Coordinates of all heavy atoms in Angstrom, one line a residue:
A591 N -15.7 -5.5 12.7 CA -16.4 -4.6 13.6 C -15.7 -3.3 13.7 O -16.4 -2.2 13.8 CB -16.5 -5.3 15.0
H594 N -16.4 -1.2 10.7 CA -17.8 -0.7 10.7 C -17.9 0.5 11.6 O -18.6 1.5 11.3 CB -18.7 -1.8 11.1 CG -20.2 -1.4 11.2 ND1 -20.9 -1.0 10.1 CD2 -21.0 -1.3 12.3 CE1 -22.2 -0.7 10.5 NE2 -22.2 -0.8 11.8
A595 N -17.3 0.4 12.8 CA -17.4 1.5 13.8 C -16.7 2.7 13.2 O -17.2 3.8 13.4 CB -16.7 1.1 15.1
E598 N -19.1 4.5 11.0 CA -20.1 5.3 11.7 C -19.6 6.6 12.3 O -20.3 7.6 12.4 CB -20.7 4.4 12.9 CG -21.6 3.2 12.4 CD -22.2 2.5 13.5 OE1 -21.7 2.6 14.7 OE2 -23.2 1.8 13.3
L644 N -10.7 -4.5 22.0 CA -12.1 -4.1 22.2 C -12.3 -3.4 23.6 O -13.1 -2.5 23.7 CB -13.0 -5.4 22.2 CG -13.1 -6.1 20.8 CD1 -13.7 -7.5 21.0 CD2 -14.1 -5.3 20.0
V647 N -11.5 0.2 23.1 CA -12.6 0.9 22.5 C -13.6 1.3 23.5 O -14.1 2.4 23.6 CB -13.3 0.0 21.4 CG1 -14.6 0.6 21.0 CG2 -12.4 -0.2 20.2
A648 N -14.0 0.4 24.4 CA -15.0 0.6 25.4 C -14.5 1.8 26.3 O -15.3 2.7 26.7 CB -15.3 -0.6 26.2
D682 N -24.7 7.4 20.0 CA -23.9 6.5 19.2 C -22.6 6.0 19.9 O -22.3 4.8 19.9 CB -23.4 7.2 17.9 CG -24.6 7.5 17.0 OD1 -25.7 7.0 17.2 OD2 -24.4 8.4 16.1
E683 N -22.0 6.9 20.6 CA -20.7 6.5 21.3 C -21.0 5.5 22.4 O -20.2 4.6 22.7 CB -20.0 7.7 21.9 CG -19.7 8.9 20.9 CD -18.6 8.5 19.9 OE1 -18.2 7.3 19.9 OE2 -18.2 9.3 19.1
Q684 N -22.1 5.7 23.2 CA -22.4 4.7 24.2 C -22.7 3.4 23.6 O -22.4 2.3 24.2 CB -23.7 5.2 25.0 CG -24.0 4.4 26.2 CD -22.9 4.4 27.2 OE1 -22.5 5.4 27.8 NE2 -22.3 3.2 27.5
Q685 N -23.4 3.4 22.5 CA -23.6 2.1 21.8 C -22.3 1.4 21.4 O -22.2 0.2 21.5 CB -24.5 2.3 20.6 CG -24.9 1.0 19.8 CD -25.6 0.0 20.7 OE1 -26.6 0.4 21.4 NE2 -25.2 -1.2 20.7
H686 N -21.4 2.2 20.9 CA -20.1 1.6 20.5 C -19.4 1.0 21.8 O -18.8 -0.1 21.7 CB -19.2 2.6 19.9 CG -19.6 3.1 18.6 ND1 -19.2 4.3 18.0 CD2 -20.5 2.6 17.7 CE1 -19.7 4.4 16.8 NE2 -20.5 3.4 16.6
A687 N -19.5 1.6 22.9 CA -18.9 1.1 24.1 C -19.5 -0.2 24.5 O -18.9 -1.2 24.9 CB -19.0 2.1 25.2
N688 N -20.9 -0.2 24.5 CA -21.6 -1.4 24.9 C -21.3 -2.6 24.0 O -21.2 -3.7 24.4 CB -23.1 -1.1 24.9 CG -23.5 -0.1 26.0 OD1 -22.8 0.1 27.0 ND2 -24.7 0.5 25.9
S689 N -21.2 -2.3 22.7 CA -21.0 -3.3 21.7 C -19.6 -3.9 21.9 O -19.4 -5.1 21.7 CB -21.1 -2.8 20.3 OG -22.5 -2.3 20.0
A690 N -18.6 -3.1 22.2 CA -17.2 -3.6 22.4 C -17.2 -4.5 23.6 O -16.5 -5.6 23.5 CB -16.3 -2.4 22.6
L691 N -17.8 -4.2 24.7 CA -17.8 -5.1 25.8 C -18.6 -6.3 25.6 O -18.2 -7.4 26.0 CB -18.5 -4.3 27.0 CG -17.6 -3.2 27.6 CD1 -18.4 -2.4 28.7 CD2 -16.3 -3.6 28.1
A692 N -19.7 -6.2 24.8 CA -20.5 -7.4 24.5 C -19.8 -8.4 23.6 O -20.0 -9.6 23.7 CB -21.8 -7.0 23.9
A693 N -18.9 -7.8 22.8 CA -18.1 -8.7 21.9 C -16.9 -9.3 22.6 O -16.1 -10.1 21.9 CB -17.6 -7.8 20.7
G694 N -16.7 -9.1 23.9 CA -15.7 -9.7 24.6 C -14.5 -8.8 25.1 O -13.5 -9.3 25.6
G695 N -14.7 -7.5 25.0 CA -13.7 -6.6 25.4 C -13.5 -6.7 27.0 O -14.5 -6.8 27.7

Side-chain angles (χ1 to χ4, degrees):
H594 177 68
E598 290 185 342
L644 289 166
V647 168
D682 294 345
E683 304 293 6
Q684 187 62 63
Q685 181 59 47
H686 290 163
N688 294 341
S689 297
L691 291 175

